[in-house]
Amino acid sequence: LDDVNAGRKATNYLIEAGHRRIACLHPTGQLSGWHRYQGYRHALDAHQIVYDDRLDKVIDNGKNATQPVPTQIAFLIKQILALGNERPTAIVFYNDTMTLHGYRCLEEAGLRIPDDMSLISFDDSERALQPAAQLTGVIHPKYYLGKWAAEMLLGQIEAPAPHFPLHLLIAPTLAERDSVKRLSH
């Protein structure tokens, strides 16, 4: 997946829906997370939205993390909500798992999705389709990645050749569901 473009596409979707205060929760140590974050920053810059480092939230999901990811997300959501009138109207999450943790934290704080906070995710897993959630998000093309890998493997079996690096970049697509509210500006 073209993760930079995916981060840009997700953030642009929120901007086009009228959101200007957009937080981003992304992991450390994962290239895809860094690329999605870069796309988020590119979208803000392209729309001349001033970057606010209080809306940039990093999740440590590495082997040496001191807190489990759900605990970190709960803490970061509390920080976001503590911004009061300066809190975001939308959050870009790294993946569906993290989004659903954030969704629960926001609901526990008394907020309704998408009326009080819009959420956008990545993956489009079965979890994104839960009746309570129905997450808007960038589709991770698992089928096409698997198909491409199988075709490469079969090609190598049929006609072994020197190994050249192959790079397949899949353009992101977005599944529009119920976790993003359109704001009137």
Side-chain angles (χ1 to χ4, degrees), residues 83-134:
L83 294 172
N85 291 336
E86 293 185 332
R87 77 177 191 207
T89 58
I91 304 173
V92 176
F93 282 90
Y94 170 69
N95 64 21
D96 290 344
T97 301
M98 290 182 183
T99 307
L100 291 170
H101 288 306
Y103 194 110
R104 278 191 293 281
C105 293
L106 291 163
E107 281 189 328
E108 288 170 6
L111 276 72
R112 294 170 316 210
I113 312 304
D115 294 333
D116 301 318
M117 183 73 69
S118 291
L119 308 179
I120 198 160
S121 187
F122 294 83
D123 286 345
D124 197 44
S125 66
E126 287 185 24
R127 291 196 232 174
L129 301 173
Q130 292 177 9
Q134 291 293 307

Side-chain angles (χ1 to χ4, degrees), residues 4-66:
V4 173
N5 195 21
R8 184 182 301 116
K9 186 174 194 97
T11 308
N12 280 337
Y13 181 81
L14 292 169
I15 293 168
E16 289 163 10
H19 298 275
R20 296 296 176 270
R21 302 268 312 147
I22 303 168
C24 183
L25 274 73
H26 56 97
T28 60
Q30 287 184 290
L31 195 54
S32 59
W34 174 249
H35 286 158
R36 291 172 190 176
Y37 171 71
Q38 290 301 308
Y40 158 80
R41 291 292 303 270
H42 289 285
L44 295 180
D45 290 344
H47 291 275
Q48 299 175 343
I49 296 173
V50 177
Y51 170 74
D52 183 342
D53 64 351
R54 297 174 301 168
L55 305 180
D56 181 350
K57 302 297 182 184
V58 179
I59 298 165
D60 184 357
N61 63 343
K63 294 176 188 173
N64 298 322
T66 58

Side-chain angles (χ1 to χ4, degrees), residues 148-158:
W148 179 62
E151 288 171 358
M152 282 183 17
L153 180 62
L154 290 173
Q156 285 294 316
I157 291 170
E158 291 174 2

